Amino acid sequence: MSAIRLLVLGAVRQHGRAHGYQVRNDLEFWGAHEWSNAKPGSIYHALKQSAKQGLLLAHEVAPSTVGGPPRVEYELTEAGTEEYFTLLREALTSYDQKVDMLSAGIGFMVDLPRDEVVTLLEQRIGKLEQWRTSVTEYYTPEQGPGQLGHIGEIMHMWVDSADSEGRWTRGLIERIADGAYVFAGEGEPFVGVLADEEPNPFSTGPHPLDAR
């Protein structure tokens, strides 16, 4: 699964139409450049690749403010919308992806109905529990992981990580079930995007590539 693809498609979807500068600005505002591979080059590459694959429709709209080729705005196609929701559901369900994929999924979870998100997260807990059981059943020596010397600490890390993720996921399910946040079909959800001229306090620097 690709976190950068989910992030880019989700950012474009929130705007309806967006150019590369807006997508990059939003992802930096969300801190995605710290917890994922959402670096400038990766963002622009993902936009262009998604357009080539028919997931985004590219529009040349106006000359770049820094000269060069016209600015390109992107919008999701029907295939792009389908891909976005497929990636989002996988991100909320799977337990074995990197933290960037799960983080992206949590960031866009309100695009799905509340009950579906709870169901997806419950599936994730089930997979975590199955994985934990398989680890302790097949890889724990009869006298405990300490029998493996310091290598046993790897197992401690795996099991503790699974337990921690399970606790966090159960807490999130409880908060959602208690009415936290606004999900699809419930009204206007929170949308954390910046206006075109709004300064970004988390920007990593100037954006000389805003023509893309």
Side-chain angles (χ1 to χ4, degrees):
M1 289 185 284
S2 169
I4 187 65
R5 172 172 287 190
L6 175 56
L7 287 166
V8 163
L9 294 179
V12 171
R13 185 177 183 273
Q14 290 198 354
H15 283 280
R17 279 174 60 156
H19 50 76
Y21 173 84
Q22 289 173 309
V23 172
R24 175 182 170 182
N25 211 34
D26 285 346
L27 297 186
E28 290 184 350
F29 182 60
W30 303 337
H33 59 295
E34 298 290 350
W35 47 260
S36 77
N37 191 37
K39 304 300 188 288
S42 299
I43 293 169
Y44 294 119
H45 177 73
L47 287 167
K48 290 183 176 181
Q49 282 297 107
S50 295
K52 287 182 181 179
Q53 294 166 359
L55 304 178
L56 293 174
L57 186 61
H59 304 272
E60 291 188 356
V61 289
S64 166
T65 57
V66 295
R71 170 174 283 174
V72 177
E73 287 187 348
Y74 299 90
E75 65 176 323
L76 260 69
T77 62
E78 184 176 341
T81 299
E82 182 177 346
E83 174 75 356
Y84 167 70
F85 281 108
T86 296
L87 290 172
L88 177 54
R89 291 183 172 101
E90 290 177 353
L92 293 173
T93 304
S94 300
Y95 72 92
D96 57 349
Q97 76 264 348
K98 296 179 180 179
V99 69
D100 59 348
M101 195 65 190
L102 177 60
S103 299
I106 297 302
F108 294 122
M109 67 179 179
V110 294
D111 287 344
L112 296 170
R114 183 182 300 272
D115 290 346
E116 182 178 2
V117 173
V118 169
T119 298
L120 293 170
L121 292 172
E122 287 174 342
Q123 291 175 13
R124 182 172 191 270
I125 287 178
K127 292 179 179 180
L128 276 168
E129 291 176 344
Q130 289 176 2
W131 179 84
R132 188 189 191 284
T133 298
S134 68
V135 168
T136 55
E137 180 178 352
Y138 294 107
Y139 296 100
T140 303
E142 292 184 2
Q143 298 179 16
Q147 185 178 337
L148 298 174
H150 69 282
I151 303 300
E153 292 298 334
I154 298 173
M155 183 179 299
H156 280 305
M157 178 182 67
W158 288 346
V159 172
D160 285 351
S161 295
D163 290 343
S164 176
E165 288 195 40
R167 285 193 300 271
W168 173 82
T169 306
R170 290 185 185 90
L172 177 58
I173 290 173
E174 184 176 345
R175 291 188 291 277
I176 293 172
D178 285 344
Y181 319 120
V182 179
F183 287 83
E186 298 178 350
E188 291 297 322
F190 171 82
V191 179
V193 299
L194 294 166
D196 234 358
E197 303 302 324
E198 185 178 356
N200 181 359
F202 306 108
S203 173
T204 58
H207 300 267
L209 302 176
D210 67 344
R212 299 188 181 185

